[in-house]
Amino acid sequence: MSRNKNITLIKGEFETEEAKDILRNLLDFKIRFHQIKSFNSELKYGEKDARSQARILELKESMQKMLEIMEEAEENGYSLNIDAKIEIEFQQQKTKDLEKVVITQ
């Protein structure tokens, strides 16, 4: 079994507004995912999830960069060819120390 898998997420030529909608929705979804993850961490452990907070900042920077690209393409009358793939690599799971529960009758 191969330890690497690829999935095509987006492929094709798009008008700038269509490309902007697709990419904005994708980035918005990822930002919301990390906001919820961080909020849940805050409720459960009393502190925000640091990795999610850092990822939110990265995603917001990517959103700004994407919007600048869309603006440039639109101003110059370009359509956009987008080819986005997801690369999945199998990793050994990190095991957490679990307490063993012994049930006696």
Side-chain angles (χ1 to χ4, degrees):
M1 168 177 81
S2 172
R3 297 180 64 132
N4 297 316
K5 306 290 183 188
N6 293 304
I7 299 170
T8 299
L9 182 63
I10 304 169
K11 185 172 183 68
E13 185 176 336
F14 302 92
E15 297 297 323
T16 53
E17 278 304 311
E18 189 176 31
K20 191 187 311 182
D21 286 344
I22 291 167
L23 297 175
R24 182 183 293 162
N25 285 325
L26 184 61
L27 289 164
D28 279 341
F29 179 83
K30 288 293 296 173
I31 290 168
R32 281 193 311 275
F33 170 83
H34 285 288
Q35 287 171 333
I36 290 167
K37 185 176 179 184
S38 187
F39 179 71
N40 287 338
S41 175
E42 191 172 17
L43 291 176
K44 191 172 183 179
Y45 303 111
E47 58 186 43
K48 294 181 178 184
D49 184 285
R51 288 175 54 191
S52 284
Q53 290 299 302
R55 189 67 182 124
I56 289 166
L57 293 175
E58 290 172 359
L59 290 164
K60 286 182 176 183
E61 288 173 9
S62 294
M63 177 78 80
Q64 185 59 42
K65 193 181 295 184
M66 181 273 297
L67 291 172
E68 289 169 6
I69 292 168
M70 295 301 133
E71 186 177 316
E72 180 183 349
E74 194 167 34
E75 286 174 357
N76 292 293
Y78 289 111
S79 61
L80 299 161
N81 188 39
I82 301 175
D83 187 5
K85 294 182 180 12
I86 298 173
E87 295 180 20
I88 301 170
E89 181 180 344
F90 286 62
Q91 300 284 325
Q92 286 294 87
Q93 252 184 354
K94 296 177 183 172
T95 58
K96 294 180 182 179
D97 293 333
L98 300 175
E99 292 181 26
K100 293 183 179 179
V101 178
V102 178
I103 301 173
T104 60
Q105 294 182 339

